[in-house]
Amino acid sequence: MQGQHISCSVRSFEPLSHSHSAVDKVALVTEGGGQRGIFTAGVLDAFLEADFNPFSLLIGTSAGSLNLASYICGQNQHAYRVITEATTAQDFFDLFRFLRGGEGLNLDWLVEQTQTRLRLDWQKGHSNMQGRTVLACASHADTFETHYFDLDNEHWDMALKASCAIPMLHRKPVCNEHEPWFDGGVTAPIPVEEAYARGYRHIVVIRTVPIHVEYHHDWIGKFKGAFGKTKVADMIELLLEHEASYRQTQSFLNNPPDDVTIYEIFPPKPLQSSLLGSALLSLETDYQLGYQSGRYFLSTLGRRFGHLQPNLSPDAVKHPERSKDE
């Protein structure tokens, strides 16, 4: 018997016809996507306005982890401002700096903004993480192993940097806990299987692309050998690793195990925003779409989770060795 997959977009009727059943705990998983994360920011701001956070496990990849940081700190429109004000600044992304051999992404500057001008309220964040586990996903630069950094930690800034270090645009891996890390999207673009492994059978997933999107560049692997042991060859390997991981995750989402229900929030068509360099009008349009999607989820599927008040993370009980030291 196959599990359930419920599509939740502003054009989907599935949430209206879904029959409610008992839910004892629920996880939230957020995809990355650079500035396309503005859609996720809109969804989560709708949740914040409704004081809706029944999740005892939250896992984000790349921009998804930045969105979770704003959400768990309870700061409405914080992620919106980070994306529209900070990620559009030349201090963060400079194409000419990148072409001259420097870092394309200045993650140090971006995280500094979340500590100064666009300050994250981590005092409130740590309070809100009591009874919850909030993780930022990163990929090991050498072994391609996936790691989940706990954000309830004094080194939350390094965890976010590691999760957001897009290969090639960020030439050097981020060093955290004496290991090199790249963007979590390389090996776990949508870390829903990690939520399942931690014992969650009701999982809300926020996507930044339509659910039918697929990536197939296997042909490029045929040319990898021609580049020898070069950075180009390394980038090809990272791209192929990312696409293989994405297809595996898509298969899990589309055909979940028989004991799982996936609730997937996604844009009905490709967003106007892109990874970087998006126009402000596009970002605003996609934010509003995310906000509407979040409101729609709350008025339909979200009602079944409203009674949940996490006070002791089920994840910590089921996997005590993985709760605070991942």
Side-chain angles (χ1 to χ4, degrees):
M1 178 180 176
Q2 184 176 315
Q4 288 187 291
H5 176 280
I6 304 169
S7 297
C8 187
S9 76
V10 291
R11 298 179 183 175
S12 171
F13 292 100
E14 283 186 50
L16 298 174
S17 60
H18 178 64
S19 59
H20 290 209
S21 59
V23 178
D24 59 346
K25 60 182 182 179
V26 59
L28 174 66
V29 173
T30 53
E31 184 178 19
Q35 290 179 336
R36 289 192 294 267
I38 196 76
F39 174 84
T40 303
V43 174
L44 295 181
D45 278 351
F47 288 4
L48 283 173
E49 284 188 6
D51 194 24
F52 180 80
N53 188 351
F55 309 107
S56 49
L57 173 66
L58 303 90
I59 312 178
T61 287
S62 193
S65 64
L66 285 172
N67 270 300
L68 287 186
S70 300
Y71 178 54
I72 203 62
C73 289
Q75 293 174 257
N76 190 19
Q77 291 212 327
H78 180 271
Y80 169 86
R81 291 190 62 197
V82 169
I83 295 172
T84 58
E85 297 177 25
T87 72
T88 58
Q90 193 172 19
D91 286 317
F92 173 61
F93 175 66
D94 187 338
L95 179 60
F96 294 105
R97 181 179 65 220
F98 174 69
L99 294 176
R100 291 194 300 267
E103 292 287 11
L105 301 180
N106 189 341
L107 293 176
D108 291 334
W109 181 85
L110 180 65
V111 171
E112 180 186 358
Q113 297 303 294
T114 67
Q115 298 167 323
T116 54
R117 187 172 65 88
L118 299 171
R119 181 177 174 273
L120 280 164
D121 186 354
W122 278 106
Q123 182 176 355
K124 184 175 181 180
H126 290 311
S127 176
N128 289 340
M129 280 187 269
Q130 298 304 307
R132 295 184 172 94
T133 300
V134 186
L135 305 173
C137 173
S139 307
H140 197 282
D142 297 329
T143 66
F144 291 160
E145 292 181 3
T146 306
H147 190 78
Y148 297 90
F149 291 104
D150 197 323
L151 290 186
D152 194 8
N153 187 293
E154 62 178 329
H155 301 300
W156 60 268
D157 54 341
M158 296 305 299
L160 291 178
K161 288 178 189 177
S163 184
C164 296
I166 301 173
M168 191 166 66
L169 290 179
H170 200 273
R171 296 181 186 275
K172 296 180 181 179
V174 171
C175 184
N176 191 27
E177 298 182 359
H178 310 292
E179 296 289 341
W181 305 99
F182 272 131
D183 191 304
V186 174
T187 55
I190 313 167
V192 62
E193 290 172 275
E194 180 67 16
Y196 178 71
R198 289 172 179 256
Y200 285 79
R201 299 299 178 260
H202 292 271
I203 307 171
V204 176
V205 178
I206 304 178
R207 301 284 299 278
T208 54
V209 296
I211 59 175
H212 62 267
V213 169
E214 296 183 358
Y215 299 101
H216 294 282
H217 292 92
D218 293 341
W219 57 269
I220 201 171
K222 299 178 181 179
F223 301 97
K224 178 185 171 184
F227 294 99
K229 295 182 178 181
T230 64
K231 289 185 177 180
V232 174
D234 291 341
M235 289 303 106
I236 290 175
E237 187 173 3
L238 287 171
L239 172 64
L240 295 177
E241 180 70 25
H242 165 75
E243 292 191 353
S245 299
Y246 208 96
R247 288 193 294 269
Q248 177 181 326
T249 301
Q250 286 279 60
S251 178
F252 183 94
L253 290 170
N254 295 333
N255 304 283
D258 58 12
D259 57 346
V260 176
T261 301
I262 302 292
Y263 312 86
E264 199 163 10
I265 305 171
F266 59 92
K269 61 181 181 179
L271 296 173
Q272 295 183 24
S273 308
S274 53
L275 184 70
L276 289 166
S278 307
L280 287 176
L281 179 59
S282 297
L283 293 172
E284 180 65 33
T285 299
D286 293 340
Y287 173 81
Q288 292 299 331
L289 177 60
Y291 179 80
Q292 294 167 15
S293 300
R295 295 277 295 178
Y296 182 54
F297 176 87
L298 289 170
S299 65
T300 55
L301 298 170
R303 291 180 297 173
R304 69 184 310 194
F305 306 131
H307 68 285
L308 296 179
Q309 295 294 331
N311 52 26
L312 176 61
S313 170
D315 175 65
V317 174
K318 188 171 183 65
H319 299 289
E321 75 283 2
R322 301 171 68 179
S323 61
K324 291 295 181 185
D325 59 355
E326 282 291 313

